[in-house]
Amino acid sequence: MLLHLSTWTEVEVYLSQFTGIIIPIGSTEQHGPTGLIGTDAICAEAIARGVGESTQAIVAPTINVGMALHHTAFPGSISFRPSTLILVIRDTITSLAKAGFTQFFFINGHGGNVATLKAAFAEVYATLADLNMTNAEQVRCQVSNWYMCGSVYSLAKRLYGDQEGSHATPSEVALTQYLYPNAIKQAVLDPNVSKDHRIYGAADFRRRYPDGRMGSNPALATPEQGQQFYDLAVKELSNTYLEFLGSV
Amino acid sequence: MLLHLSTWTEVEVYLSQFTGIIIPIGSTEQHGPTGLIGTDAICAEAIARGVGESTQAIVAPTINVGMALHHTAFPGSISFRPSTLILVIRDTITSLAKAGFTQFFFINGHGGNVATLKAAFAEVYATLADLNMTNAEQVRCQVSNWYMCGSVYSLAKRLYGDQEGSHATPSEVALTQYLYPNAIKQAVLDPNVSKDHRIYGAADFRRRYPDGRMGSNPALATPEQGQQFYDLAVKELSNTYLEFLGSV
Amino acid sequence: MLLHLSTWTEVEVYLSQFTGIIIPIGSTEQHGPTGLIGTDAICAEAIARGVGESTQAIVAPTINVGMALHHTAFPGSISFRPSTLILVIRDTITSLAKAGFTQFFFINGHGGNVATLKAAFAEVYATLADLNMTNAEQVRCQVSNWYMCGSVYSLAKRLYGDQEGSHATPSEVALTQYLYPNAIKQAVLDPNVSKDHRIYGAADFRRRYPDGRMGSNPALATPEQGQQFYDLAVKELSNTYLEFLGSV
Amino acid sequence: MLLHLSTWTEVEVYLSQFTGIIIPIGSTEQHGPTGLIGTDAICAEAIARGVGESTQAIVAPTINVGMALHHTAFPGSISFRPSTLILVIRDTITSLAKAGFTQFFFINGHGGNVATLKAAFAEVYATLADLNMTNAEQVRCQVSNWYMCGSVYSLAKRLYGDQEGSHATPSEVALTQYLYPNAIKQAVLDPNVSKDHRIYGAADFRRRYPDGRMGSNPALATPEQGQQFYDLAVKELSNTYLEFLGSV
Amino acid sequence: MLLHLSTWTEVEVYLSQFTGIIIPIGSTEQHGPTGLIGTDAICAEAIARGVGESTQAIVAPTINVGMALHHTAFPGSISFRPSTLILVIRDTITSLAKAGFTQFFFINGHGGNVATLKAAFAEVYATLADLNMTNAEQVRCQVSNWYMCGSVYSLAKRLYGDQEGSHATPSEVALTQYLYPNAIKQAVLDPNVSKDHRIYGAADFRRRYPDGRMGSNPALATPEQGQQFYDLAVKELSNTYLEFLGSV
Amino acid sequence: MLLHLSTWTEVEVYLSQFTGIIIPIGSTEQHGPTGLIGTDAICAEAIARGVGESTQAIVAPTINVGMALHHTAFPGSISFRPSTLILVIRDTITSLAKAGFTQFFFINGHGGNVATLKAAFAEVYATLADLNMTNAEQVRCQVSNWYMCGSVYSLAKRLYGDQEGSHATPSEVALTQYLYPNAIKQAVLDPNVSKDHRIYGAADFRRRYPDGRMGSNPALATPEQGQQFYDLAVKELSNTYLEFLGSV
């Protein structure tokens, strides 16, 4: 059930039975010479919808922009400041909690979002307590990164080994190829990709990772592999979501 | 050209020729018993992409949540505070302006966004001047509401007269029916819909407009009319965008 | 009844009968070579006091500075950021709402304030709801621009036609001449005034409108016309205020 | 020279000779059963204009609302949060500093403003340095309280002794009587006025000081004394301002 | 009783008897060629602990950084913006007030903190009232500067006369010598120290006070004098704290 | 070299050779019935000073309060909101970066700080870039948790196995026992300690972990073990710091 394709009366019915909601969050940032700028949002959205279908959960509209300040020296990247993203998350959860939602399950496509999301969750719990909301103490938030699923991680290692890297990875590129076969890009990729892992400011990042990749070889990606990743992530995160709901 | 389906190198090429970008902004809010919660984002996104195609402009990911605080007494609505939305716009434009974009054309689907967007533009100009960015003085922002296009407005008046109303209108519902024919909803609509126009706080809003509609009869909507609205809006806003680019 | 010339015990008596308050808001910004920098505050204050007298409403001290960032490349202009003005309005209304005021009628003298005021109203409603104030749901805010009164607008068009322009207009200059006859200024005005209407950043504004006027010929203004504008605005806004009070 | 009655071209001429500006700041708060709610703004404004005349300095519009949170349990009081007032001061000074003003002399009518003003000055110096403004290092701010002038303080002690108190004092009431003889109020004042000096939150304040006075007997005030205070304050603060300008 | 060396159960017992807490606040800023950068935090912490011992009060961890923006042109200085320090104080008091503390006694070592602390207290009272905390109306905050104790001030004047100055004073240096005898520094001090008192921005401060001292001769300091200052401050502030507790 | 026991001239000399600084950050929060409220700050401070000695690095004053909102239902806990802590870190780094420091090595004692610290680093890099600081691109921040050192973790597992738990652990309690042997606390600990790992809001946390411990048995701790942890952490983090400095 997709929130944006539902009516408020349908949501009212949903809330009479359930209190969980899935929120996809991505990023709008460079993904190397062949990765789509929307990769993280595309992946999170597709998997979140798959999880929503398999668990009958409602899925919120995707948060398309995240915390990607370190990518902003590459054109086309858009980033919220962490302080802005905290407010975005606060407003999103507060709006939904007032209606009765209490379990917020973020399916995330971008590593750079995790720290700010966790900071935001802490800020949100305190804010809801301040508001004297009756269900404030029931509110629970969790972020799950699709690319950190055990099954996904294993497949990526098996298929790509060290060439998986840590940004503009073949696994995420494969998933976008599966979802957008008409948007598969070609470019000559320098085999001497930086093996560094460190991330500081935007100018420093571009100097360290001149074409935007971090240790990855996305040329290995195929749409078929993308489908495998999709299936694994949906299956595993569906279980994670149900456990999250069940656990009090 | 869709930003999220492009690579940063493609954006770099685009920026060597163009400096304009189209940003769709919607809202996630109740639209009466039959209107989709995502109506405003759906409409803005579709029209923005149409305009992007016809003008060869790049289209940013949709801002799915806007300023809809007055709708938040209906379940499923999500809203940013105006102060949050100002930061969202500031961060979005700042990120893109650093890369060389200077003309920001927002295609908007929600009346409640307009005031905050205009406030945000003023804040952004001052922020960019503070940052001593070389192109700060060239940055120009504009918001165009698709439903305020002369051609759209005329058709809506001709088709629906007073029953167009001002929220959960048949014109916007028709457009979503055209775009999502599988998500057409049915419900019995009270013919005594409130004719009020005033908007204050969320609890007051729900009291004034018990089913969420403001003077509208969305039962008049058809997908065919939706296509007409789409075509008119894309055509008119394409011209508006080109004028915006051309005018210095 | 002027708030600043009242005692708190007088306000207490007033609140036992009434819950409305009039708040004049202006701006401190250039108004061309002959217009006073305080024009917008002067006009709003005088008209607000006239409305207060005719309706027995209490009138708050004038907010002398508004959102005029685009004028700040001209010396003497002072502007709040939109984000600051939102807090100014929030604090003002919150203070008064705690005492029992619920109907806030802003009489505004500056077009640049409108968007931010409307954004602020939305922020205020949500803030009051958060505070669990008992009268939060009764709070209603409205902004009325004196220069947009039908009667004022008609007279301006009749007297000045296209030379009314949209900033440093003869109508507002006339009103200040009526109110401050000793502060009537003379200067040679370039007849080739810019006819543009667009407003972006401060440096851009000064380039577009080199002497600060937007399409206007304030040399047409006379103090007698100013009195006419004053009388029309007070009369019309008094009715608007009473309707605002009466409408629930 | 009053900023609000000047044109931008007159300010431009002023700035070719001078870089100082006087900014009156008051408060809108209860002043006991007979003191005007606008007392602090009224006094600061009148004295600032007197100082402006005698020193040929430009005087900005009055900041009518200050930091008076502790008075907000009395109806009619309006207060900024300290965090809001800091932004108000920041925006005011930043606007003027961009035009070339560098010496900001605040004439203050309310003790509760002082701490926040001083905090704001520190914030402003750092903000201007961040903006890389060429004259940032020249900017200097000072607050002078008219009621703390040596000559004013001596007269108040001589006229009223201990009955001067520390809020709703006969000296400030006398000054408003001189300035607004038609707004002189009468009320029976409890001779057992609280002698306490402590100020905490708003509810606590009203409990400590039930009619709003702090140790004062404003029934001693006369308009003639008000004129004396006015003359002394204008004379002394004119010297203070000139010293402030001269000292580098 | 030191909070950081206690358990939460010990604090629970304490709160069953007492509601006061002592919070030392210092600064991390240059103190001339021989004064320690931590002088203000060191002094405030030691004295606060002495007061805690003699009054059986609990002492919170020291706030090591304060408002010292004007010192930041000297290396090693760290400062919060006033707006940041307000939030630091707000969060600190809010956390403790939720647990039942209501009397917050700040022992302060740095003059530059006072204005912001007082602004913060006002902000805190309003924030607690907003939160509908049951004990909000009981919360009282006070700042006492150890160097302003009558007994301390007299001794400093007696020992050093005019050479006490107002920053990097022999009295505070003496106190740090007593507390950290191994960190006594030597340097040749220019006898022509600036006698100025004015404080504006950081660059201006360094120009006015080239070696960081303001009118002081810290070469006069001895550890023995430091002990005298310590004893006097602890004794006097212990009384002040007990009066603060007792006074309602 | 301890910053608070140094003079600014000593820092100036240091900066002529080095650009790194170590910043200990802890928390002030409950640590179960026998753990000290200051545990995290105590441990971080001691280890940071040890690392400073062995690497000749300068060590900043300890940030005693961190992000511990989830502990605030236990008395004595103090927490910054994440949004506040971001500003605290921003101001700290900005102050030091202006003086020439570029490598900021945080030694952290509290897991709850990590997310907010990482968010803050991203915010800082962007802020410094905005300020056009010449060394903005060189600034690098890193957080290292002493309890996550491989050597520390191994010893804890070897000594305590599963009874290490994840809060109020025997390893951190042991370290405080070594550092403060006079503050070793005794209490009967329920052997049925919660094995949960989840952290949401403060009220929920206290319900899940009634005495504050998360799966730990701090009764196993001894001061001798504490010394072992200290030695291991200092040794390992000294290497980590030197690598951090060396790596560009």
Side-chain angles (χ1 to χ4, degrees):
Chain A
M1 180 180 175
L2 300 176
L3 180 60
H4 70 293
L5 296 185
S6 306
T7 65
W8 72 262
T9 52
E10 290 169 341
V11 176
E12 199 172 51
V13 171
Y14 178 90
L15 278 165
S16 68
Q17 298 176 276
F18 308 106
T19 55
I21 187 166
I22 296 170
I23 305 178
I25 179 166
S27 184
T28 296
E29 64 183 47
Q30 69 83 16
H31 272 77
T34 57
L36 306 182
I37 285 175
T39 296
D40 297 342
I42 290 166
C43 296
E45 182 172 285
I47 291 166
R49 292 182 181 182
V51 173
E53 270 174 42
S54 81
T55 63
Q56 312 220 28
I58 203 165
V59 181
T62 303
I63 301 175
N64 287 314
V65 171
M67 210 309 290
L69 287 171
H70 45 297
H71 292 293
T72 52
F74 291 92
S77 302
I78 304 178
S79 177
F80 293 145
R81 303 256 163 155
S83 51
T84 300
L85 185 53
I86 287 174
L87 296 174
V88 163
I89 299 300
R90 182 201 66 180
D91 287 3
T92 300
I93 294 180
T94 304
S95 297
L96 292 166
K98 282 184 182 164
F101 290 99
T102 53
Q103 290 148 308
F104 298 89
F105 188 75
F106 288 77
I107 291 184
N108 177 41
H110 172 50
N113 289 339
V114 176
T116 301
L117 275 175
K118 289 188 174 173
F121 294 166
E123 189 102 14
V124 164
Y125 299 132
T127 298
L128 294 176
D130 282 353
L131 297 184
N132 298 314
M133 284 181 57
T134 50
N135 59 353
E137 295 188 12
Q138 276 71 56
V139 170
R140 295 189 285 121
C141 304
Q142 181 174 317
V143 52
S144 287
N145 307 305
W146 73 266
Y147 53 87
M148 297 288 281
C149 288
S151 56
V152 167
Y153 191 80
S154 298
L155 179 62
K157 280 296 159 206
R158 184 159 61 75
L159 291 174
Y160 316 123
D162 282 354
Q163 296 184 75
E164 167 72 355
S166 54
H167 182 66
T169 63
S171 59
E172 62 186 348
V173 169
L175 183 42
T176 61
Q177 288 179 344
Y178 165 58
L179 295 165
Y180 287 93
N182 295 325
I184 299 178
K185 312 284 168 143
Q186 306 297 340
V188 177
L189 296 174
D190 186 341
N192 288 320
V193 66
S194 166
K195 301 291 188 201
D196 202 343
H197 281 84
R198 288 164 301 169
I199 297 178
Y200 306 111
D204 179 272
F205 188 96
R206 185 150 186 182
R207 210 163 35 227
R208 272 178 213 278
Y209 311 103
D211 73 358
R213 291 177 298 146
M214 297 175 74
S216 67
N217 182 7
L220 303 177
T222 69
E224 293 71 27
Q225 295 163 350
Q227 181 166 13
Q228 288 180 278
F229 286 117
Y230 173 81
D231 291 340
L232 289 171
V234 167
K235 187 172 174 197
E236 187 166 332
L237 289 179
S238 295
N239 288 332
T240 308
Y241 177 65
L242 293 174
E243 282 166 19
F244 172 63
L245 286 192
S247 71
V248 185
Chain B
M1 181 178 174
L2 299 176
L3 179 61
H4 70 293
L5 296 185
S6 306
T7 65
W8 72 263
T9 51
E10 290 169 339
V11 176
E12 199 171 52
V13 170
Y14 177 89
L15 279 165
S16 67
Q17 297 176 275
F18 307 107
T19 55
I21 188 166
I22 295 170
I23 306 177
I25 179 166
S27 184
T28 296
E29 64 182 46
Q30 69 84 17
H31 272 78
T34 58
L36 306 182
I37 285 175
T39 295
D40 297 342
I42 290 166
C43 296
E45 181 172 286
I47 292 166
R49 292 182 181 182
V51 172
E53 270 175 42
S54 80
T55 63
Q56 311 221 32
I58 203 165
V59 181
T62 303
I63 301 175
N64 288 313
V65 171
M67 210 309 290
L69 287 171
H70 46 296
H71 292 294
T72 53
F74 291 92
S77 303
I78 305 177
S79 177
F80 293 144
R81 303 256 163 156
S83 50
T84 302
L85 185 52
I86 287 174
L87 296 174
V88 163
I89 299 300
R90 182 202 64 180
D91 287 4
T92 300
I93 294 179
T94 303
S95 297
L96 293 165
K98 282 184 182 165
F101 290 99
T102 54
Q103 290 149 306
F104 299 89
F105 188 74
F106 287 77
I107 291 183
N108 177 42
H110 172 50
N113 289 340
V114 177
T116 301
L117 275 176
K118 289 188 174 173
F121 294 165
E123 190 102 14
V124 164
Y125 299 131
T127 299
L128 294 176
D130 282 354
L131 298 183
N132 298 314
M133 284 180 57
T134 50
N135 59 353
E137 296 189 14
Q138 276 70 56
V139 170
R140 295 188 286 122
C141 303
Q142 181 173 317
V143 53
S144 288
N145 307 304
W146 73 267
Y147 52 88
M148 296 290 281
C149 289
S151 55
V152 168
Y153 191 80
S154 298
L155 179 62
K157 279 297 160 204
R158 185 159 61 76
L159 291 174
Y160 315 125
D162 281 354
Q163 297 185 73
E164 167 72 355
S166 54
H167 182 66
T169 61
S171 59
E172 61 186 350
V173 168
L175 182 44
T176 62
Q177 289 179 343
Y178 164 60
L179 296 165
Y180 287 94
N182 294 327
I184 298 177
K185 312 285 169 145
Q186 305 298 339
V188 178
L189 296 174
D190 187 340
N192 288 319
V193 65
S194 167
K195 302 289 190 202
D196 203 345
H197 281 83
R198 288 164 302 169
I199 297 177
Y200 305 112
D204 178 272
F205 188 97
R206 184 149 186 181
R207 209 163 37 228
R208 269 176 215 279
Y209 310 103
D211 74 357
R213 291 176 298 146
M214 297 176 74
S216 68
N217 183 6
L220 302 177
T222 69
E224 294 72 26
Q225 295 163 349
Q227 181 166 12
Q228 290 179 275
F229 286 116
Y230 173 81
D231 291 340
L232 290 171
V234 168
K235 188 174 173 195
E236 186 166 333
L237 289 179
S238 295
N239 288 331
T240 307
Y241 176 64
L242 294 174
E243 283 166 18
F244 172 63
L245 287 192
S247 71
V248 184
Chain C
M1 181 177 174
L2 300 176
L3 180 60
H4 70 293
L5 297 185
S6 306
T7 65
W8 72 263
T9 52
E10 290 170 341
V11 176
E12 198 171 52
V13 171
Y14 178 89
L15 279 165
S16 68
Q17 297 177 275
F18 308 106
T19 55
I21 187 166
I22 295 169
I23 305 178
I25 179 166
S27 184
T28 295
E29 64 182 47
Q30 69 83 16
H31 272 78
T34 58
L36 306 181
I37 284 175
T39 295
D40 297 342
I42 290 166
C43 296
E45 181 171 286
I47 292 166
R49 291 181 181 183
V51 173
E53 271 175 42
S54 80
T55 62
Q56 312 220 31
I58 203 165
V59 181
T62 304
I63 301 175
N64 287 313
V65 172
M67 209 311 287
L69 287 171
H70 45 298
H71 292 294
T72 52
F74 291 92
S77 303
I78 304 177
S79 177
F80 293 145
R81 302 257 162 155
S83 51
T84 301
L85 185 52
I86 287 174
L87 296 174
V88 163
I89 300 300
R90 182 201 67 180
D91 287 4
T92 300
I93 294 179
T94 304
S95 296
L96 293 165
K98 282 184 182 165
F101 290 99
T102 53
Q103 291 148 307
F104 299 89
F105 188 74
F106 287 78
I107 291 184
N108 177 41
H110 172 50
N113 289 339
V114 177
T116 302
L117 275 175
K118 289 187 175 174
F121 294 166
E123 188 102 14
V124 164
Y125 299 132
T127 299
L128 294 176
D130 282 354
L131 297 183
N132 297 313
M133 284 181 55
T134 50
N135 59 353
E137 295 189 13
Q138 277 70 56
V139 170
R140 295 188 285 121
C141 303
Q142 181 174 317
V143 52
S144 287
N145 307 305
W146 72 268
Y147 53 88
M148 296 289 281
C149 289
S151 56
V152 167
Y153 190 80
S154 298
L155 180 62
K157 279 298 158 203
R158 185 159 60 76
L159 291 175
Y160 315 124
D162 281 354
Q163 297 184 74
E164 168 71 356
S166 55
H167 182 67
T169 61
S171 59
E172 62 186 349
V173 169
L175 183 43
T176 61
Q177 288 180 344
Y178 164 59
L179 296 166
Y180 287 94
N182 294 326
I184 298 177
K185 312 285 169 141
Q186 305 297 340
V188 178
L189 296 174
D190 185 341
N192 288 319
V193 65
S194 167
K195 301 291 188 200
D196 202 343
H197 281 85
R198 288 164 300 167
I199 297 178
Y200 305 111
D204 178 272
F205 188 96
R206 184 149 186 182
R207 210 164 34 228
R208 271 178 214 278
Y209 310 103
D211 73 357
R213 291 177 299 146
M214 296 175 74
S216 67
N217 182 6
L220 302 177
T222 70
E224 294 71 27
Q225 294 163 350
Q227 181 165 14
Q228 288 180 277
F229 286 117
Y230 173 81
D231 291 339
L232 289 172
V234 167
K235 188 172 172 197
E236 187 166 332
L237 289 179
S238 294
N239 288 332
T240 307
Y241 176 64
L242 294 174
E243 283 166 20
F244 172 63
L245 286 192
S247 71
V248 183
Chain D
M1 181 177 174
L2 299 176
L3 180 60
H4 70 293
L5 297 185
S6 307
T7 64
W8 72 263
T9 51
E10 290 169 340
V11 176
E12 198 171 52
V13 170
Y14 178 90
L15 279 165
S16 67
Q17 297 177 276
F18 308 107
T19 55
I21 187 167
I22 295 170
I23 305 178
I25 178 166
S27 184
T28 296
E29 64 181 48
Q30 69 83 17
H31 273 78
T34 58
L36 306 182
I37 285 174
T39 295
D40 297 343
I42 290 166
C43 295
E45 181 172 286
I47 292 166
R49 291 182 180 181
V51 173
E53 271 175 40
S54 80
T55 62
Q56 310 221 32
I58 203 166
V59 181
T62 303
I63 300 174
N64 287 314
V65 171
M67 209 311 288
L69 287 171
H70 46 297
H71 292 293
T72 52
F74 291 92
S77 303
I78 305 176
S79 177
F80 293 144
R81 303 256 163 155
S83 51
T84 301
L85 185 52
I86 287 173
L87 296 174
V88 163
I89 299 301
R90 182 201 65 179
D91 287 3
T92 300
I93 293 179
T94 304
S95 297
L96 292 165
K98 282 184 182 165
F101 290 99
T102 54
Q103 291 148 307
F104 299 88
F105 189 74
F106 287 77
I107 291 184
N108 176 42
H110 171 51
N113 289 340
V114 177
T116 302
L117 274 176
K118 289 188 174 174
F121 295 165
E123 189 102 14
V124 164
Y125 299 132
T127 299
L128 294 176
D130 282 354
L131 298 183
N132 298 314
M133 284 181 57
T134 51
N135 59 353
E137 295 188 13
Q138 277 70 55
V139 170
R140 294 189 286 121
C141 303
Q142 181 173 317
V143 52
S144 287
N145 307 305
W146 73 266
Y147 52 87
M148 297 289 281
C149 289
S151 56
V152 168
Y153 191 81
S154 298
L155 180 62
K157 279 297 157 203
R158 185 160 61 75
L159 291 174
Y160 315 125
D162 281 354
Q163 298 184 76
E164 168 72 355
S166 55
H167 182 67
T169 62
S171 59
E172 62 186 348
V173 169
L175 182 45
T176 61
Q177 288 179 344
Y178 164 59
L179 296 166
Y180 287 93
N182 294 327
I184 298 177
K185 312 285 170 143
Q186 305 297 339
V188 178
L189 296 174
D190 187 339
N192 289 320
V193 66
S194 167
K195 301 290 189 202
D196 202 343
H197 281 84
R198 288 164 301 168
I199 296 177
Y200 305 112
D204 179 272
F205 188 97
R206 183 149 187 182
R207 209 162 38 227
R208 271 177 214 278
Y209 311 102
D211 73 357
R213 291 175 299 146
M214 298 177 72
S216 67
N217 182 5
L220 302 176
T222 69
E224 294 71 26
Q225 296 163 350
Q227 182 167 12
Q228 291 179 276
F229 286 116
Y230 174 81
D231 291 341
L232 290 170
V234 168
K235 188 173 172 195
E236 187 166 332
L237 289 179
S238 295
N239 288 331
T240 308
Y241 177 65
L242 294 173
E243 283 167 18
F244 172 62
L245 286 192
S247 71
V248 183
Chain E
M1 180 179 176
L2 300 177
L3 179 60
H4 70 293
L5 297 185
S6 306
T7 65
W8 73 262
T9 53
E10 290 169 340
V11 176
E12 198 171 52
V13 171
Y14 177 90
L15 279 165
S16 68
Q17 297 177 276
F18 308 106
T19 55
I21 188 166
I22 295 170
I23 305 178
I25 179 166
S27 184
T28 296
E29 64 183 47
Q30 69 83 16
H31 273 77
T34 57
L36 306 181
I37 284 175
T39 295
D40 297 342
I42 289 165
C43 295
E45 181 172 285
I47 292 167
R49 292 181 181 182
V51 173
E53 271 175 41
S54 80
T55 63
Q56 312 220 28
I58 203 165
V59 181
T62 304
I63 301 175
N64 288 314
V65 171
M67 209 311 288
L69 287 172
H70 45 298
H71 292 294
T72 52
F74 291 91
S77 302
I78 305 177
S79 177
F80 293 144
R81 302 256 162 156
S83 51
T84 301
L85 185 52
I86 287 174
L87 296 174
V88 162
I89 299 300
R90 182 201 66 180
D91 287 3
T92 300
I93 294 180
T94 304
S95 297
L96 292 165
K98 282 184 182 165
F101 290 98
T102 54
Q103 290 148 307
F104 299 89
F105 188 74
F106 287 78
I107 292 184
N108 177 42
H110 172 49
N113 289 339
V114 177
T116 301
L117 275 175
K118 289 188 173 172
F121 294 166
E123 189 102 14
V124 164
Y125 299 132
T127 299
L128 294 175
D130 282 353
L131 298 182
N132 300 313
M133 285 182 55
T134 51
N135 59 353
E137 296 188 12
Q138 277 70 57
V139 170
R140 294 188 286 121
C141 304
Q142 182 173 316
V143 53
S144 287
N145 307 305
W146 74 266
Y147 52 87
M148 296 290 281
C149 288
S151 56
V152 167
Y153 191 81
S154 298
L155 179 62
K157 279 297 157 203
R158 185 160 61 75
L159 291 174
Y160 315 124
D162 281 355
Q163 297 184 75
E164 167 72 354
S166 54
H167 182 68
T169 63
S171 59
E172 62 186 348
V173 169
L175 182 43
T176 61
Q177 288 179 344
Y178 164 59
L179 296 166
Y180 287 94
N182 295 326
I184 299 177
K185 312 285 170 143
Q186 305 296 340
V188 178
L189 296 173
D190 186 341
N192 289 319
V193 65
S194 167
K195 301 291 189 201
D196 201 344
H197 281 84
R198 287 164 301 168
I199 296 177
Y200 305 111
D204 178 273
F205 187 97
R206 185 150 186 182
R207 209 161 37 225
R208 271 177 213 278
Y209 311 103
D211 74 358
R213 291 176 299 146
M214 297 175 74
S216 66
N217 182 6
L220 303 176
T222 70
E224 295 71 27
Q225 295 162 351
Q227 181 166 13
Q228 288 180 278
F229 286 117
Y230 174 81
D231 291 340
L232 289 171
V234 168
K235 188 172 172 197
E236 187 166 331
L237 289 179
S238 295
N239 288 331
T240 307
Y241 177 65
L242 294 174
E243 283 166 19
F244 172 62
L245 286 191
S247 71
V248 184
Chain F
M1 180 178 175
L2 299 177
L3 180 61
H4 70 293
L5 296 184
S6 306
T7 64
W8 72 263
T9 51
E10 290 170 341
V11 177
E12 199 172 50
V13 170
Y14 177 90
L15 279 165
S16 67
Q17 298 175 276
F18 308 107
T19 55
I21 188 166
I22 295 170
I23 305 178
I25 178 165
S27 184
T28 295
E29 64 182 47
Q30 69 83 16
H31 273 77
T34 57
L36 306 182
I37 285 175
T39 296
D40 298 342
I42 290 166
C43 296
E45 181 172 285
I47 292 166
R49 291 181 181 182
V51 173
E53 271 175 40
S54 81
T55 62
Q56 311 221 33
I58 203 164
V59 181
T62 304
I63 300 175
N64 287 313
V65 171
M67 209 311 288
L69 287 171
H70 46 296
H71 292 293
T72 53
F74 291 92
S77 303
I78 305 177
S79 177
F80 294 144
R81 303 257 162 153
S83 50
T84 301
L85 185 52
I86 287 174
L87 296 174
V88 163
I89 299 301
R90 182 202 65 179
D91 287 4
T92 301
I93 293 179
T94 304
S95 297
L96 292 165
K98 282 184 182 166
F101 291 99
T102 53
Q103 290 149 306
F104 299 89
F105 188 74
F106 288 78
I107 291 184
N108 177 42
H110 171 51
N113 289 339
V114 177
T116 301
L117 275 176
K118 289 188 174 172
F121 294 165
E123 189 102 14
V124 164
Y125 300 131
T127 298
L128 295 176
D130 282 354
L131 298 183
N132 298 313
M133 284 181 56
T134 49
N135 59 352
E137 296 188 14
Q138 277 71 55
V139 170
R140 294 188 286 120
C141 303
Q142 181 174 316
V143 52
S144 287
N145 307 305
W146 73 267
Y147 52 88
M148 296 290 280
C149 289
S151 56
V152 168
Y153 190 81
S154 298
L155 179 62
K157 279 298 159 203
R158 184 159 61 77
L159 291 174
Y160 315 125
D162 282 354
Q163 297 185 75
E164 167 73 354
S166 55
H167 182 67
T169 62
S171 59
E172 62 186 348
V173 168
L175 182 44
T176 62
Q177 288 179 344
Y178 164 59
L179 297 166
Y180 288 94
N182 295 327
I184 298 177
K185 313 284 170 143
Q186 305 297 339
V188 178
L189 296 173
D190 186 342
N192 288 319
V193 65
S194 167
K195 301 288 188 201
D196 203 343
H197 282 84
R198 288 165 299 169
I199 297 178
Y200 305 112
D204 178 272
F205 188 97
R206 184 149 187 182
R207 210 162 37 227
R208 270 177 215 277
Y209 311 102
D211 73 358
R213 292 177 297 147
M214 297 176 74
S216 67
N217 182 6
L220 302 177
T222 70
E224 294 70 27
Q225 296 163 350
Q227 182 167 12
Q228 290 180 274
F229 286 116
Y230 173 82
D231 291 340
L232 290 171
V234 167
K235 188 173 172 198
E236 186 166 333
L237 289 179
S238 295
N239 288 333
T240 308
Y241 176 64
L242 294 174
E243 283 166 19
F244 171 63
L245 286 192
S247 71
V248 183

